[in-house]
Amino acid sequence: GQNIDQPTEMTATEGAIVQINCTYQTSGFNGLFWYQQHAGEAPTFLSYNVLDGLEEKGRFSSFLSRSKGYSYLLLKELQMKDSASYLCAVTKSNYQLIWGAGTKLIIKP
Amino acid sequence: KAGVTQTPRYLIKTRGQQVTLSCSPISGHRSVSWYQQTPGQGLQFLFEYFSETQRNKGNFPGRFSGRQFSNSRSEMNVSTLELGDSALYLCASSLASPLAGETQYFGPGTRLLVL
């Protein structure tokens, strides 16, 4: 199948760290996107991972394990403005881009 | 550089009608993709256009169609609207190849309500 699985909703506290997981089918896998989407707004690009390992961009990091079909987005020093949906999307060798349903992240003070 | 623009932003239609949505990509971007977004379903890929040709298509019925003009602007059309077509329709542009990992830049979307 082509399922991409993400938790539907997560809650975290301001200042803390949260990890949002994404699992996918490994066949034909090329790379994996993470996008952020605030309520009522368009998605915006966060990262694109092709190789195994962790890529850090400020407070946000994205990890990929190609063999395990697994990625996570790590958000540190959470701020209220990080409340949003986080979308995982996979590019495949058959020229497909498949999106997960997104994880709604709620930040509490 | 201006971002991706979509018109109209909001639409209310009745079942059986048809609708045309418009998208202007970022200047210089030649790839335009269309998505349908509904609560709990995430982004569902409709189609992608590049240089006026449909390059990729998702699993939507033939009532959903699109086209791209020589200036890269794109339109999508939905005929014989159904209640289930109520959704946010997002357009995204990229330089040439989002499916090869290029960043897509999304427009604000058109929110369609079918009554």
Side-chain angles (χ1 to χ4, degrees):
Chain A
Q2 303 190 76
N3 285 350
I4 294 180
D5 293 316
Q6 305 179 235
T8 303
E9 188 174 295
M10 299 181 70
T11 302
T13 305
E14 191 177 13
I17 298 174
V18 71
Q19 177 175 310
I20 302 173
N21 296 328
C22 172
T23 58
Y24 58 88
Q25 299 290 324
T26 58
S27 62
F29 174 81
N30 269 349
L32 187 143
F33 283 105
W34 283 99
Y35 277 77
Q36 180 191 58
Q37 185 177 24
H38 285 100
E41 298 183 12
T44 55
F45 171 84
L46 289 176
S47 64
Y48 182 65
N49 293 62
V50 176
L51 302 176
D52 284 350
L54 185 69
E55 292 191 7
E56 299 185 61
K57 283 185 184 179
R59 294 189 300 113
F60 290 15
S61 302
S62 56
F63 171 84
L64 179 68
S65 168
R66 296 177 66 100
S67 62
K68 294 182 179 177
Y70 168 67
S71 172
Y72 66 72
L73 183 68
L74 191 71
L75 291 72
K76 301 177 186 175
E77 300 168 18
L78 285 169
Q79 303 175 9
M80 297 303 292
K81 68 179 181 179
D82 297 330
S83 292
S85 287
Y86 291 86
L87 311 177
C88 166
V90 165
T91 58
K92 297 268 193 173
S93 58
N94 60 354
Y95 210 64
Q96 284 194 314
L97 175 58
I98 303 161
W99 293 78
T103 298
K104 182 178 180 181
L105 178 63
I106 299 168
I107 309 296
K108 294 185 175 179
Chain B
K1 248 186 195 180
V4 179
T5 58
Q6 291 186 245
T7 56
R9 293 293 310 280
Y10 303 92
L11 261 182
I12 299 176
K13 292 284 189 178
T14 56
R15 276 180 299 175
Q17 287 187 308
Q18 68 120 25
V19 68
T20 299
L21 312 181
S22 180
C23 171
S24 292
I26 291 172
S27 177
H29 284 194
R30 296 169 66 189
S31 168
V32 174
S33 298
W34 287 91
Y35 295 91
Q36 181 193 68
Q37 187 174 37
T38 53
Q41 288 278 339
L43 286 173
Q44 304 292 315
F45 174 71
L46 281 153
F47 25 68
E48 185 226 354
Y49 285 87
F50 179 83
S51 291
E52 302 177 67
T53 301
Q54 187 180 88
R55 187 160 63 174
N56 211 350
K57 190 176 189 302
N59 295 323
F60 277 79
R63 299 186 297 107
F64 292 80
S65 63
R67 59 178 175 167
Q68 187 180 34
F69 302 95
S70 58
N71 61 358
S72 293
R73 190 177 71 84
S74 178
E75 289 181 347
M76 69 163 278
N77 185 277
V78 188
S79 61
T80 321
L81 283 166
E82 300 176 0
L83 295 179
D85 296 333
S86 295
L88 179 67
Y89 290 88
L90 289 164
C91 162
S93 78
S94 66
L95 277 170
S97 184
L99 302 186
E102 279 183 7
T103 301
Q104 289 186 88
Y105 297 86
F106 284 82
T110 294
R111 190 165 293 280
L112 172 65
L113 177 62
V114 182
L115 301 175

